[in-house]
Amino acid sequence: MRTDRTFTMLKPDSVEKGNVGAILEKITAAGFRIVALKLTQMTVADAEAFYTVHNERPFFRELVEYMTRGAIVVAILEKDNAVEDFRSLIGATNPAEAAEGTIRKLYAASIGENAVHGSDSDENAEIESQFHFSEREIF
Ligand code: CMP
């Protein structure tokens, strides 16, 4: 399994606030190469499937509603040690705990509306990439 790619979503709050350009700039400035990119919107069924690991959590319905309420930007990013380095770049899930300079510290409003997603393992990066992209959309 390749270890040099990760998957990200710029969530509806990032699109609504006009932060997509600034966030992509931070991502590429940190050395990630964009190998797939598109604007899309998840259906309720998509979000329930994507976040199935969280389906017993008390925030699950809120999460599905948030992630389906508008457009998102999905991307596959390439860099050595991509999963770990990208999670460092985005910062902690809760922006109140995120380090200075991280994407969530700069752009996230709350633990629920936290601006960006980053895969938590190489295996999930592959699964999540295939969820959103066909082979011919990946370069
Ligand atoms: P992420 O880590 O990308 O994927 C799971 C998402 O669930 C997380 O981002 C948040 O958007 C959301 N989430 C996690 N914890 C909470 C919480 N305590 N309350 C509401 N939403 C949460």
Side-chain angles (χ1 to χ4, degrees), residues 11 51 54 57 59 62-63 66 93 104 111-114 116-118:
K11 299 182 180 185
Y51 287 113
H54 295 303
R57 303 283 193 96
F59 58 82
E62 182 189 329
L63 174 61
Y66 160 53
T93 303
R104 283 176 172 152
I111 190 168
E113 301 208 3
N114 62 1
V116 285
H117 167 83

